[in-house]
Amino acid sequence: MSAVFDSFSRFYASSIGKKILVALTGLMLIGFVFGHLVGNLLIFAGQDAINEYGHLLQTALHGGGVWIARVGLLAAVLIHVVATVSLTKQNNAARPDKYGQHKAQVSSKSSHTMILSGLTILAFVVYHLLHYTVRIGNSFNSDAYKIDLHGEKVHNVYKMVIDGFSWAPASLFYLIAMALLSSHLSHGFSSLFQTLGISTDKSEPVFKKAGYAFAGLIFAGNAAIVLSIWLFGYGR
Amino acid sequence: MSQLNLHLKVWRQNAGQPGHFQDIEAPEIPDHASFLEMMDIVNERLISKGQEPVAFDHDCREGICGMCSMQINGVPHGPEKATTTCQLHMRKFRTGDTIWVEPFRAKAFPVIKDLVVDRGAFDRIQQAGGFISVRTGAPQDANALPIGKVVADAAMDAAACIGCGACVAACKNASAMLFVSAKAGQLNVLPQGQPEKDRRTLGMVRQMDKEGFGNCTNQYECEAACPKEISVRWITKLNRDYAVAAVKEALGNTPKVAGGGD
């Protein structure tokens, strides 16, 4: 047991080991971001559709499913953030004397700002959880946000989302966060295949384009929800 | 032949002391001079004026030894693609240009003097696994060990690395992954490299980390700056080989060593 643990701590202590963990947790979070968007787009299918979906998530595996997902995601986020912060610190220490002139020839702006976009997204996730999951600083936990669905009293996710995005500051912060998430994904998506040792000269351009398409999709889908409610009055 | 009048901003530093940029005027530089010959001319003039010449690394001046370095206008080995500083010619510049000349900067490459840095970290990484252990007796018969053309060509591409350190200099994190991946990869693809593959991969990566290089963030500035055009696919392979070696080390069998001997 301790031999395996020693090996793991050596793996984590190494540059490539940390990066592989960042890539694997990044892959999990990419999967989550996609599923989250698909589920949320049900808002356009009407009140019952999204409320039923919300109820399904809450009651899957007798209410255990949502907690399994939460624990898994929390672990993924923790590993992703702790490892990247530590890698970034090492990167900064690796060049104590800066160049007078340093030109980037091929790398994107997004790839140079991963830690900034990432930490802003982290702050957003905290706000987002307080907003819609813990529901602090609003009345989303009150009886006004309960509704009858097939004879069962369930949480009115639909009304909560509509009311949530009717407030301009929240909508604006969501849009900024989604733009940064999209920037983060535009580098992170194809990057993870390189770190996991999968990229080839033939597949790399495909991963790159898929990453841009995915980043665009995540922004467009999430922004559509916010904008259609906030600016175009959907559901209000 | 035409002549160029150039303004240089050259990094001057003694080991262990803070450095600074010195403005040096370089008038009447022949455009057929190489960058190093331009530096020679500048140094001759400094010496004749009784000033300290600029220290810089150079050796073969044919683009194959990996000794010359210099960050020129923010790019290792200057603006010309797939070219070492010694093969960069002054006709690539215009008269009146200001040229920034700096050392390759990294914690793992301490400045010895001016533009000369200590790249001994690369040697220590090589010593940690960048070799194969063979009996050096009479040479083996040619083609006794068949190697596919594609594999042989790939190994040769990686072996083209001259160890100049441009990859480290170009990387925003001063990561040495392109160098290490080429030196490990050239042996890891060949049958002769198989017996020590895992030990080599783990040893070289661990030494790289120990030397204080940064971590790869997959931006591929190294590939763009490499005078030998080493591909970042070697980094892909190093990541893969490292993952496999680490898992084997963690979960695989450790052979029981018989007692006695040493």
Side-chain angles (χ1 to χ4, degrees):
Chain A
M1 180 65 203
S2 92
V4 172
F5 184 78
D6 284 353
S7 297
F8 181 78
S9 70
R10 274 182 102 173
F11 182 73
Y12 183 78
S14 76
S15 53
I16 297 179
K18 268 199 208 71
K19 279 161 46 61
I20 288 173
L21 289 176
V22 171
L24 288 173
T25 51
L27 188 61
M28 281 175 70
L29 296 171
I30 282 174
F32 168 74
V33 162
F34 182 71
H36 191 61
L37 172 65
V38 172
N40 283 2
L41 284 176
L42 284 173
I43 190 129
F44 293 119
Q47 176 160 307
D48 284 355
I50 192 153
N51 285 346
E52 202 163 336
Y53 170 68
H55 189 62
L56 174 82
L57 291 186
Q58 293 285 341
T59 53
L61 300 175
H62 304 288
V66 70
W67 280 103
I68 293 172
R70 279 171 184 166
V71 169
L73 285 167
L74 183 68
V77 168
L78 273 179
I79 293 169
H80 197 76
V81 173
V82 170
T84 42
V85 166
S86 150
L87 287 165
T88 305
K89 275 188 181 165
Q90 289 173 349
N91 292 345
N92 291 336
R95 180 166 294 136
D97 294 322
K98 304 295 172 212
Y99 283 112
Q101 292 274 312
H102 196 198
K103 267 195 207 115
Q105 300 191 84
V106 291
S107 50
S108 65
K109 267 263 163 342
S110 293
S111 72
H112 284 266
T113 49
M114 290 299 276
I115 192 73
L116 294 175
S117 58
L119 290 175
T120 314
I121 294 163
L122 179 66
F124 164 76
V125 167
V126 172
Y127 171 73
H128 182 50
L129 290 175
L130 293 175
H131 192 193
Y132 285 143
T133 306
V134 188
R135 301 164 202 142
I136 280 177
N138 50 46
S139 52
F140 295 161
N141 278 332
S142 69
D143 273 348
Y145 288 90
K146 294 276 187 276
I147 193 169
D148 274 336
L149 181 78
H150 314 311
E152 241 183 312
K153 209 173 187 197
V154 302
H155 189 69
N156 194 344
V157 178
Y158 183 81
K159 184 173 158 58
M160 179 177 79
V161 172
I162 302 290
D163 290 357
F165 289 133
S166 298
W167 189 48
S171 296
L172 208 59
F173 185 36
Y174 272 72
L175 287 177
I176 293 169
M178 285 309 109
L180 289 172
L181 177 59
S182 166
S183 159
H184 200 78
L185 288 168
S186 74
H187 177 67
F189 187 97
S190 59
S191 191
L192 81 88
F193 295 98
Q194 166 76 351
T195 300
L196 295 179
I198 296 167
S199 297
T200 62
D201 284 336
K202 283 177 189 159
S203 63
E204 164 88 15
V206 179
F207 292 141
K208 264 224 142 74
K209 284 192 190 108
Y212 293 145
F214 185 74
L217 175 79
I218 294 299
F219 180 77
N222 284 306
I225 298 172
V226 175
L227 289 174
S228 58
I229 295 168
W230 177 35
L231 293 184
F232 300 105
Y234 174 80
R236 279 158 76 180
Chain B
M1 182 189 87
S2 65
Q3 300 208 318
L4 306 172
N5 298 317
L6 302 166
H7 315 285
L8 305 182
K9 286 187 178 290
V10 183
W11 187 257
R12 307 304 303 264
Q13 184 175 5
N14 288 316
Q17 290 171 19
H20 66 278
F21 283 103
Q22 183 186 8
D23 289 298
I24 300 176
E25 292 304 313
E28 293 166 28
I29 300 294
D31 67 355
H32 62 233
S34 75
F35 201 89
L36 296 187
E37 285 162 349
M38 184 274 290
M39 293 302 290
D40 290 336
I41 296 169
V42 167
N43 275 346
E44 289 293 340
R45 292 175 185 164
L46 286 175
I47 291 166
S48 70
K49 279 192 278 186
Q51 294 173 12
E52 180 105 350
V54 180
F56 62 91
D57 265 329
H58 61 101
D59 193 5
C60 77
R61 300 207 179 196
E62 294 183 318
I64 54 168
C65 77
M67 199 62 196
C68 61
S69 52
M70 299 193 200
Q71 191 88 352
I72 300 165
N73 282 341
V75 179
H77 297 295
E80 196 69 356
K81 201 171 158 41
T83 305
T84 52
T85 298
C86 62
Q87 295 293 298
L88 172 67
H89 284 81
M90 297 315 294
R91 58 177 174 270
K92 301 292 173 189
F93 297 89
R94 296 272 166 272
T95 195
D97 277 0
T98 299
I99 305 175
W100 292 70
V101 189
E102 301 176 61
F104 285 176
R105 294 187 194 274
K107 189 173 136 224
F109 287 170
V111 170
I112 297 170
K113 188 171 172 60
D114 300 340
L115 306 173
V116 179
V117 296
D118 180 359
R119 284 169 281 183
F122 273 10
D123 299 334
R124 292 187 289 276
I125 292 171
Q126 281 287 59
Q127 287 155 11
F131 52 81
I132 56 167
S133 307
V134 287
R135 189 180 70 87
T136 54
Q140 200 179 26
D141 283 345
N143 297 324
L145 192 59
I147 297 169
K149 169 106 173 98
V150 175
V151 173
D153 284 354
M156 196 62 215
D157 285 348
C161 170
I162 52 178
C164 65
C167 45
V168 174
C171 177
K172 83 168 170 51
N173 312 320
S175 166
M177 284 285 277
L178 193 64
F179 167 79
V180 176
S181 69
K183 293 300 179 196
Q186 62 178 350
L187 301 174
N188 283 353
V189 289
L190 291 175
Q192 293 92 333
Q194 296 314 303
E196 293 159 308
K197 183 178 174 186
D198 294 339
R199 193 167 60 173
R200 170 181 310 115
T201 306
L202 294 172
M204 292 178 80
V205 169
R206 280 169 189 158
Q207 188 63 34
M208 167 185 85
D209 291 345
K210 208 156 90 184
E211 295 289 349
F213 291 104
N215 308 295
C216 177
T217 41
N218 306 335
Q219 293 169 301
Y220 312 148
E221 290 293 340
C222 50
E223 184 186 67
C226 178
K228 297 298 157 188
E229 299 185 291
I230 307 286
S231 162
V232 291
R233 292 289 82 82
W234 291 104
I235 299 181
T236 325
K237 179 172 169 54
L238 184 69
N239 287 334
R240 190 167 60 237
D241 289 349
Y242 183 83
V244 170
V247 168
K248 278 198 214 166
E249 186 192 46
L251 303 175
N253 281 319
T254 319
K256 295 274 182 295
V257 179
D262 154 69

